[in-house]
Amino acid sequence: MKKLSNGLPTMEEILQQLPDMQNGLEEMREVVLANLVMLGEIPSPTFQEADRVQFLVNRFSECGLASISTDEAGNGLAVHPGTKGDRNILLVAHTDTVFPRTVDHSMSVEKECVTGPGVADNSLGVAVLASLPTILEHLNINLSSNLILMGATRSLGRGNLSGLRFFLSNSEMPVHCGVCVEGMELGRLSFNSIGMIRGEIQCEVPENYDWTGIAASGAISVINETINQICAIPLPKKPYSTIILGSVEGGNSFNTIATEARLRFEARSDSVEIVAQIDELLNDIVAEMKYRSKAKVTLETLALRQPGGIGFRHPLVRNVRNIMQALDIQPHVSPSLSELSAFIDHKIPAVTIGITHGERHNQEDESIQIEPIYKGLAQLIGSLMAIDGGYCDKD
Amino acid sequence: MTKINEWLASNTFHHSQYWDLLKLVEEKEKQNLTISLCIPTLNEETTIGKEVIIFISELMKRYPLLDEIAVIDSGSTDKTLDVASTFGADVYLSADILPEYGEKKGKGENLWKAIYQLKGDIIVYVDADIKNIHPRFVYGLVAPLIYRPEIKYVKAFYDRPLAFSQGVRPSGGGRVTEILTRPMFSLFFPELTAIIQPLSGEYAVRREVLERIPFPIGYGVETSHLIDVYHQWGMDAFGQTDLDQRVHRNQATRSLGKMSFGIMQTFLNRCESLGVINEMPDLGKVLYQFQAHDKTYEPIEHAIVEEERPPMMEIAEYREKFHPND
């Protein structure tokens, strides 16, 4: 194979070897699926990822990686040392899922698919991390850069990416480039983030409430009125802006006035100014509802994202697109609100990619297809090789 | 009780003792042992794929503890065989093994035919319906055979009976074990009560033992194994390993009634043949259960006959295959 003077394959050579690589990856099926099942059957709700991370670092240890550790945030880390080791690529998958421990985490493996809670989001991503050292050895691929493998904690919901943020703020290994791995959807390509504010509005009616007030029919009425006011916020189509009402909870029975209710929401916009305006309006609405209802109404901001990231023409994005094309993967470009945002905040170029096709996302019978995994892995390894070769650096 | 306590202390293990699989594989190779895994199946398409994948990845590719993984099937009508072979297991129909000896229906038949079909010096049997399958279900049972040459038969159990941080609590098996098997053992073979889960479907056994004991084809196979191994080799031949939790399907009480009936047949026949009970009357072959329709009660009859396969050493084809020079 033709090499550059640094001994690494050219970009053309990387693209040419991807179809063969995909075939070689089929031999790794049992390794990946066994890791997927064993990791996926360990419950890992946000803030309680320790057992899953422990399994992951044990796997790193069995593979003989270097610098295996769990940090103060609970992240599981290891370094796959590069032949030169002059640059560091961070490959990250979040280890938390939306499912509580009480859910039956049994996985079912059929001929074409694997089913179980969190199998796509993100047990498969973590299983890829656990399997990657074995896969690279099997394919006889030696990267020049250090590959930092990281099972990140506290990513979802109230976790607010704090595991990855902790690492990026405190690591002594400067990260040159980042790749975030999600179980699904194959073809996903995220390289920028939109602005976002995620929060929870809570209403509590005190026991000694004067029941002639607006909250006389309970906390649910207050939340209902709050929702009406949020829906009345004018939002521009350009820049794209939206408010998602994610969940409403309140009350306990048919005939008891609800004394507590809460609304979870996420406001998103391509414009940082509009996110700030929405935030201000939400605070006004909550203050007004508090005044009018005489109940306790609070707004808790759980997460904030700044819009940003790299552009469509950035060499990292261009080469990942080329890799997808070589593997006949149709790219679906979409902004991300997940781990990518933490990289953006630290001005580190990064992409998020998916490994396979799936369905029933975040339901207990979430399912992924087995066959496309090989293509998804080839895409990931090709991307790592492209980054390693320096083909994704900005001119 | 002293002897039971001594045996519990010396022959009861926990799978975590054997976490070092590299060392275990080295020891296995040093002894030049071969190990076969047999998974008996009948319509297990929802769990078989997971079992095969985990055992092939962890105990063949990563740590080469197993030399073969075989599914021996009683005639599944679902996708069990397709799924198992897709993920790399050797798949056999029980009816195709030693066909000249006919086909009998029952898990014991598959276990018996595995002795002929599989090549290992040790055969480990693992049921196919385990939801929380893990490599420990194999290495936890095989390891005592590798490290302790005098042990011949290792049985699984799924509890922590010997020490418990929050005080003493009852420990043992399922309903049939506690209501039937344990009281019967307590009456006739008190030492065997030390086996905490005598009916568990997971055990690892040396070929030299498997080929010398008969196999009931139905519910009584585990009970008869324990009595026969105890009779021929004594308690010291047994080990048992705590595998923590096992999650599986729960059976209806009526099904457990049929199971108990089969176990009692085997147990009483063994007692008679060993001279533990004399002058047994002819045993019934039909279990009667009842179901109510308004104010009438309808009897349901289940004909349950615990047939037995002879020790494999009595089969000429087996001797020719495994002991050609004898």
Side-chain angles (χ1 to χ4, degrees):
Chain A
M1 184 184 288
K2 194 173 72 180
K3 309 278 182 184
L4 290 181
S5 57
N6 60 7
L8 299 172
T10 64
M11 193 62 216
E12 288 71 31
E13 287 169 337
I14 293 171
L15 293 174
Q16 280 166 12
Q17 65 179 277
L18 289 174
D20 282 348
M21 184 191 293
Q22 190 181 326
N23 296 333
L25 284 163
E26 289 189 24
E27 294 165 26
M28 292 283 97
R29 178 181 58 184
E30 284 75 26
V31 170
V32 176
L33 294 183
N35 277 328
L36 171 61
V37 168
M38 288 191 285
L39 278 158
E41 293 193 341
I42 303 170
S44 194
T46 307
F47 298 107
Q48 297 175 52
E49 305 95 338
D51 291 345
R52 188 172 287 202
V53 168
Q54 186 59 52
F55 181 93
L56 181 64
V57 295
N58 286 347
R59 278 278 117 127
F60 290 157
S61 177
E62 287 172 289
C63 295
L65 299 186
S67 304
I68 299 162
S69 63
T70 49
D71 63 20
E72 288 169 53
N75 298 307
L77 292 145
V79 176
H80 188 272
T83 51
K84 283 175 74 179
D86 53 346
R87 303 202 304 180
N88 302 310
I89 305 168
L90 177 56
L91 182 64
V92 62
H94 69 85
T95 57
D96 50 346
T97 74
V98 298
F99 298 98
R101 287 184 174 278
T102 47
V103 166
D104 178 359
H105 278 65
S106 296
M107 299 269 158
S108 156
V109 181
E110 292 170 59
K111 198 174 170 185
E112 285 97 18
C113 64
V114 184
T115 304
V119 64
D121 186 14
N122 188 26
S123 301
L124 180 57
V126 184
V128 167
L129 282 192
S131 310
L132 197 61
T134 311
I135 291 171
L136 292 177
E137 188 181 353
H138 173 71
L139 297 175
N140 198 23
I141 292 174
N142 298 301
L143 298 177
S144 162
S145 313
N146 293 323
L147 182 61
I148 306 171
L149 301 171
M150 175 180 185
T153 57
R154 308 176 194 176
S155 278
L156 304 172
R158 289 174 181 269
N160 192 22
L161 309 177
S162 55
L164 179 56
R165 288 186 199 285
F166 174 86
F167 176 78
L168 292 175
S169 299
N170 295 283
S171 171
E172 291 179 359
M173 295 179 77
V175 175
H176 177 77
C177 192
V179 178
C180 315
V181 190
E182 293 279 353
M184 64 186 271
E185 182 64 32
L186 180 62
R188 173 183 179 174
L189 176 56
S190 302
F191 46 85
N192 59 8
S193 173
I194 56 176
M196 181 272 277
I197 175 169
R198 177 187 299 156
E200 183 176 288
I201 295 173
Q202 189 160 4
C203 174
E204 286 179 52
V205 180
E207 291 298 327
N208 58 355
Y209 182 72
D210 173 3
W211 290 97
T212 58
I214 185 179
S217 50
I220 291 172
S221 299
V222 178
I223 289 294
N224 181 49
E225 180 59 23
T226 307
I227 290 170
N228 289 339
Q229 298 211 26
I230 290 173
C231 290
I233 294 175
L235 294 172
K237 284 188 178 171
K238 279 191 177 180
Y240 164 78
S241 306
T242 186
I243 299 176
I244 294 167
L245 303 179
S247 80
V248 176
E249 290 174 12
N252 296 309
S253 69
F254 290 96
N255 56 356
T256 308
I257 292 174
T259 55
E260 282 188 13
R262 64 174 61 86
L263 164 70
R264 296 195 179 103
F265 67 90
E266 205 170 90
R268 301 173 175 178
S269 176
D270 287 338
S271 158
V272 67
E273 289 81 14
I274 290 176
V275 172
Q277 285 171 20
I278 293 173
D279 187 26
E280 201 175 319
L281 283 167
L282 288 169
N283 276 292
D284 288 347
I285 290 169
V286 166
E288 183 185 348
M289 292 310 301
K290 189 176 175 183
Y291 170 74
R292 285 173 55 196
S293 68
K294 308 290 189 245
K296 184 181 174 189
V297 187
T298 54
L299 166 62
E300 185 183 3
T301 301
L302 302 173
L304 269 173
R305 304 272 190 280
Q306 298 298 324
I310 53 179
F312 192 78
R313 295 178 193 168
H314 189 286
L316 174 59
V317 179
R318 189 194 311 130
N319 277 315
V320 173
R321 279 192 284 118
N322 290 339
I323 286 163
M324 287 182 168
Q325 191 178 9
L327 286 163
D328 207 18
I329 300 169
Q330 182 65 39
H332 306 291
V333 174
S334 62
S336 170
L337 290 167
S338 56
E339 285 69 32
L340 194 66
S341 304
F343 284 105
I344 291 168
D345 290 348
H346 283 81
K347 313 280 187 231
I348 298 169
V351 289
T352 300
I353 55 177
I355 297 296
T356 188
H357 301 302
E359 55 189 355
R360 298 184 294 278
H361 182 233
N362 281 348
Q363 296 179 45
E364 288 184 23
D365 58 348
E366 191 172 278
S367 181
I368 54 136
Q369 293 176 25
I370 294 171
E371 188 66 26
I373 289 175
Y374 317 124
K375 193 171 274 195
L377 286 171
Q379 160 208 230
L380 171 64
I381 294 167
S383 302
L384 293 174
M385 291 172 75
I387 296 166
D388 185 51
Y391 310 118
C392 300
D393 297 343
K394 202 165 184 182
D395 301 330
Chain B
M1 281 303 283
T2 311
K3 198 162 184 190
I4 289 178
N5 286 334
E6 282 173 7
W7 183 88
L8 281 169
S10 63
N11 286 35
T12 298
F13 315 101
H14 188 268
H15 70 84
S16 59
Q17 291 172 247
Y18 308 116
W19 65 270
D20 192 343
L21 292 182
L22 208 56
K23 187 177 156 203
L24 186 62
V25 169
E26 280 171 10
E27 187 59 35
K28 173 215 163 189
E29 286 171 353
K30 200 190 298 176
Q31 295 181 30
N32 204 22
L33 283 171
T34 52
I35 302 175
S36 301
L37 168 64
C38 169
I39 308 175
T41 56
L42 177 62
N43 294 330
E44 306 285 0
E45 65 178 3
T46 56
T47 47
I48 189 66
K50 189 162 77 171
E51 284 204 14
V52 171
I53 278 170
I54 285 185
F55 290 136
I56 284 189
S57 168
E58 302 303 304
L59 300 181
M60 283 186 102
K61 289 190 171 176
R62 196 177 290 272
Y63 300 103
L65 185 66
L66 292 173
D67 297 279
E68 65 181 332
I69 295 178
V71 164
I72 299 195
D73 188 77
S74 303
S76 293
T77 51
D78 67 3
K79 295 181 192 161
T80 299
L81 296 178
D82 190 21
V83 173
S85 62
T86 295
F87 292 120
D90 299 330
V91 172
Y92 304 99
L93 272 177
S94 180
D96 293 343
I97 303 170
L98 294 172
E100 55 275 38
Y101 290 88
E103 180 188 2
K104 296 180 189 294
K105 287 292 176 196
K107 178 183 152 189
E109 174 84 348
N110 298 15
L111 307 184
W112 183 70
K113 287 190 169 176
I115 306 167
Y116 175 80
Q117 187 63 47
L118 306 189
K119 62 188 178 193
D121 303 314
I122 290 170
I123 296 179
V124 52
Y125 297 103
V126 174
D127 279 350
D129 66 341
I130 304 172
K131 283 179 77 178
N132 61 329
I133 196 70
H134 184 277
R136 69 176 185 269
F137 284 83
V138 167
Y139 69 72
L141 299 175
V142 166
L145 295 175
I146 293 176
Y147 289 126
R148 295 269 298 269
E150 76 280 14
I151 293 179
K152 300 178 188 302
Y153 192 114
V154 181
K155 193 90 177 160
F157 69 100
Y158 304 95
D159 212 333
R160 291 175 180 275
L162 305 178
F164 186 58
S165 62
Q166 290 143 41
V168 175
R169 64 183 175 126
S171 171
R175 286 167 284 176
V176 177
T177 294
E178 295 307 315
I179 293 169
L180 179 73
T181 314
R182 190 173 299 286
M184 288 195 313
F185 278 165
S186 299
L187 286 168
F188 296 101
F189 303 98
E191 283 190 335
L192 282 175
T193 59
I195 308 284
I196 288 164
Q197 276 182 310
L199 301 181
S200 78
E202 286 69 49
Y203 36 97
V205 194
R206 295 190 195 277
R207 177 174 291 277
E208 69 203 55
V209 168
L210 286 173
E211 66 190 9
R212 286 177 168 79
I213 54 176
F215 274 64
I217 60 161
Y219 299 109
V221 63
E222 281 86 13
T223 308
S224 84
H225 277 186
L226 295 184
I227 296 172
D228 291 339
V229 172
Y230 175 67
H231 178 67
Q232 289 195 51
W233 290 278
M235 272 313 275
D236 291 342
F238 287 112
Q240 61 182 350
T241 304
D242 182 350
L243 298 181
D244 287 343
Q245 276 200 314
R246 182 196 199 276
V247 181
H248 60 100
R249 289 189 300 259
N250 262 326
Q251 296 200 54
T253 304
R254 275 173 173 269
S255 302
L256 298 184
K258 288 193 276 183
M259 187 177 175
S260 300
F261 188 82
I263 289 171
M264 281 194 76
Q265 277 187 27
T266 300
F267 185 87
L268 292 172
N269 284 333
R270 278 289 179 286
C271 284
E272 186 179 37
S273 63
L274 295 174
V276 177
I277 299 174
N278 295 319
E279 295 180 33
M280 286 258 293
D282 284 343
L283 296 177
K285 306 285 189 235
V286 177
L287 169 68
Y288 296 94
Q289 293 178 329
F290 290 86
Q291 62 187 23
H293 295 284
D294 297 325
K295 291 182 180 174
T296 62
Y297 294 89
E298 179 194 351
I300 309 285
E301 298 180 9
H302 304 281
I304 298 172
V305 182
E306 280 289 309
E307 288 186 82
E308 276 194 16
R309 289 293 196 178
M312 195 52 93
M313 279 296 269
E314 294 178 14
I315 305 296
E317 289 83 349
Y318 177 81
R319 288 197 306 275
E320 200 174 305
K321 184 175 178 182
F322 286 92
H323 301 281
N325 301 322
D326 288 358

